[in-house]
Amino acid sequence: MFGALPNTVRLLDAGAGVGALTTAFLARRCTENVGLRLVHATLFEVDPLLIDPLSTAMNECTSRCGKAGIQFTCEIHHGDFIQEMSARLAGGFFADEPPTFDAAIINPPYRKIGASAKERRVLSSLGIETSNLHTAFVSPIRRLLAPSGQMVGITPRSFCNGPYFRAFREDFLSDLQLRRLHVFESRHAAFRADSVLQENVIFHAVKGKTQPRNIDISSSSGEPDGVIRQRTFPFSEVVHPHDTERFIHIPSAQSHEDAKQALRGLSAALTSLGLTISTGRVVDFRLKPALRKEPGPGTAPLIYPCHFNGGTIHWPKLDARKPNAILDNSDTRPSLVPAGIYLLTKRFTSKEEKRRIVACLYDPSEVDAPWIGFENHLNYFHASGQGLGRELAKGLFAFLNSTAVDQYFRRFSGHTQVNATDLRTLAYPSRGELEAIGEDMKSLDLSQDEIDELILRHLNAND
Ligand SMILES: C[S@@+](CC[C@H](N)C(=O)[O-])C[C@H]1O[C@@H](n2cnc3c(N)ncnc32)[C@H](O)[C@@H]1O
């Protein structure tokens, strides 16, 4: 993915493992040498068991490069990249100047890092806010690149959306030009040997303040020798100019394009509909003593995703492992909502589920109670804390359960988690349109085709 590079390249491989990426970089440069004279690689690896095989691999690189007329030198740092580079980037009297690189190639480790993790603290002192190890690698690397320096990385796709990566996206896009994104259609293929379920992305970014006019998006199955399909999109379709969340959309499939076409006329923000989406307020482990398996005197219904039953709520579900009720008292009342019609969505869907967005209508005529508890694994749409009008809720139900919205969602989300922010950033039909859709719905028990037909008929009527 790298573009043209200078004759002398300072290469960074952070989290080098046994040097596969540096080896691949050099192998390509050796076969396609266009005036490259010298490569100096800086490799960081924290695992002591990998240092010897890494040195061996680098020796092999030296001889291969020699044969191709490229001088190759390297330094292997057995240590923690984040700690070492953060200290150098932070400066201070005794700190060495941070190095500068023309190219960085990375496949960083990934896992969540808690608020008190040492990585989080050192990076925070540099103004880098990050919640995962892979972004904890990318952010300092951005700072270590020379002007026009290039970074190619394979990372989880999770940084492209979601509130936890907002600060990272802001930082990343502030002076890295995103030139290309590649996604793997299968989450299984690339990391099958490790049985890792992660949607991954490869990105190519170049240090420079402005974003390009166009960006290349490619995809492949993830199988070796899989066909790569590539298309060019205006950058404004990938990061929307007015999106304060800075979501990175990856329109890699034709269905994503169709979804965008279907939803093209929509412009209503959720707030303009007088609606808000919130995460269920009952965090069950915090209110454990108040939870009840069965409803009884002094309790309110407690709704979990397991109560979703097609388009409506099936409650109580006495054979479920989850509690069905919560005591309604002064401790729990702040976590409850008043009776009304609410639209609920699951925050986590299983891989098997066809759609990522699964919406369901909570109707008080089916559950007789003045207060309700919505558990934290679901999000709920409400109007300033109160329920919604029936037709509006039904229209919203059909819209969110449509294939078009699901495919649109997949443009910017590669995981099975659906955050409230994700749904907040969607553009919606107007209130009138949603109510008309709601009125047109004879029942909530529609097939996917019927929902799609209904939505497309109403949205196309605007053209
Ligand atoms: C996903 S592996 C990638 C290895 C290699 N780049 C490749 O693509 O085959 C990530 C590597 O980063 C190393 N690593 C993890 N945390 C590190 C840190 N803080 N500093 C340096 N290396 C680290 C791990 O030991 C592991 O070898």
Side-chain angles (χ1 to χ4, degrees), residues 338-352:
I341 296 177
Y342 294 93
L343 193 81
L344 314 180
T345 60
K346 289 189 186 177
R347 287 182 61 204
F348 304 90
T349 48
S350 68
K351 282 194 287 34
E352 292 70 34

Side-chain angles (χ1 to χ4, degrees), residues 13 15-17 20-21 44-47 50 79-82 107-109 137:
D13 185 346
L21 296 183
F44 281 86
E45 178 50 58
V46 78
D47 185 340
L50 301 182
D80 184 324
F81 171 74
I82 299 173
N107 174 13
F137 269 67

Side-chain angles (χ1 to χ4, degrees), residues 110 184-192 195-200 220-222 349-353 356 410 413-417:
Y110 47 89
F184 296 104
E185 282 142 21
S186 161
R187 311 208 234 186
H188 306 263
F191 290 92
R192 190 167 31 206
S195 58
V196 172
L197 274 185
Q198 261 290 355
E199 207 160 298
N200 291 283
S220 62
S221 66
T349 48
S350 68
K351 282 194 287 34
E352 292 70 34
E353 230 146 357
R356 298 269 171 80
R410 285 169 201 257
S413 173
H415 43 88
T416 47
Q417 184 174 339

Side-chain angles (χ1 to χ4, degrees), residues 44-74:
F44 281 86
E45 178 50 58
V46 78
D47 185 340
L49 289 177
L50 301 182
I51 298 301
D52 277 349
L54 180 57
S55 305
T56 309
M58 291 307 104
N59 288 338
E60 285 163 13
C61 286
T62 310
S63 69
R64 175 188 282 194
C65 285
K67 285 180 198 144
I70 300 170
Q71 190 190 345
F72 176 66
T73 54
C74 70

Side-chain angles (χ1 to χ4, degrees), residues 1-295:
M1 282 195 186
F2 285 98
L5 285 162
N7 296 343
T8 301
V9 172
R10 294 159 294 179
L11 175 70
L12 171 66
D13 185 346
V18 295
L21 296 183
T22 293
T23 304
F25 176 91
L26 294 168
R28 173 60 75 94
R29 294 286 143 175
C30 287
T31 48
E32 284 176 12
N33 192 0
V34 276
L36 184 60
R37 287 205 311 270
L38 188 143
V39 177
H40 179 73
T42 303
L43 303 104
F44 281 86
E45 178 50 58
V46 78
D47 185 340
L49 289 177
L50 301 182
I51 298 301
D52 277 349
L54 180 57
S55 305
T56 309
M58 291 307 104
N59 288 338
E60 285 163 13
C61 286
T62 310
S63 69
R64 175 188 282 194
C65 285
K67 285 180 198 144
I70 300 170
Q71 190 190 345
F72 176 66
T73 54
C74 70
E75 53 192 278
I76 296 177
H77 293 248
H78 176 206
D80 184 324
F81 171 74
I82 299 173
Q83 298 294 331
E84 203 169 308
M85 282 304 126
S86 303
R88 291 176 69 174
L89 281 164
F93 200 63
F94 297 109
D96 290 336
E97 281 275 300
T100 304
F101 298 100
D102 307 295
I105 186 160
I106 54 160
N107 174 13
Y110 47 89
R111 68 174 155 77
K112 274 205 179 116
I113 45 180
S116 56
K118 62 181 191 317
E119 291 89 352
R120 193 106 171 222
R121 272 182 283 124
V122 291
L123 289 172
S124 185
S125 68
L126 293 176
I128 301 173
E129 295 309 330
T130 176
S131 57
N132 199 298
L133 216 43
H134 67 281
T135 45
F137 269 67
V138 174
S139 289
I141 294 174
R142 163 175 100 59
R143 289 158 172 77
L144 298 173
L145 287 178
S148 301
Q150 303 180 38
M151 170 158 40
V152 172
I154 177 165
T155 68
R157 189 182 160 174
S158 50
F159 73 85
C160 293
N161 69 310
Y164 297 118
F165 292 104
R166 192 189 172 286
F168 169 77
R169 288 191 295 274
E170 192 76 57
D171 186 70
F172 181 91
L173 294 169
S174 68
D175 79 342
L176 280 180
Q177 272 194 351
L178 204 47
R179 294 263 178 100
R180 178 165 167 200
L181 289 164
H182 180 91
V183 283
F184 296 104
E185 282 142 21
S186 161
R187 311 208 234 186
H188 306 263
F191 290 92
R192 190 167 31 206
D194 300 334
S195 58
V196 172
L197 274 185
Q198 261 290 355
E199 207 160 298
N200 291 283
V201 60
I202 306 179
F203 63 83
H204 172 215
V206 179
K207 182 117 158 182
K209 294 254 176 262
T210 54
Q211 291 302 341
R213 228 175 153 65
N214 293 313
I215 171 168
D216 293 328
I217 306 276
S218 56
S219 66
S220 62
S221 66
E223 299 291 343
D225 304 325
V227 179
I228 296 178
R229 282 188 306 276
Q230 181 165 338
R231 283 183 61 191
T232 302
F233 289 85
F235 186 79
S236 57
E237 277 196 26
V238 172
V239 180
H240 298 169
H242 302 299
D243 178 11
T244 52
E245 291 294 323
R246 315 292 280 152
F247 279 10
I248 298 172
H249 296 237
I250 310 184
S252 55
Q254 184 56 42
S255 50
H256 298 164
E257 272 308 279
D258 298 345
K260 183 160 173 285
Q261 273 302 314
L263 305 181
R264 68 188 175 282
L266 304 186
S267 58
L270 202 54
T271 45
S272 74
L273 300 172
L275 300 181
T276 311
I277 178 165
S278 302
T279 299
R281 287 194 230 154
V282 177
V283 180
D284 58 5
F285 61 86
R286 292 207 188 116
L287 293 170
K288 220 167 188 159
L291 306 183
R292 296 289 178 270
K293 181 90 183 130
E294 295 185 18

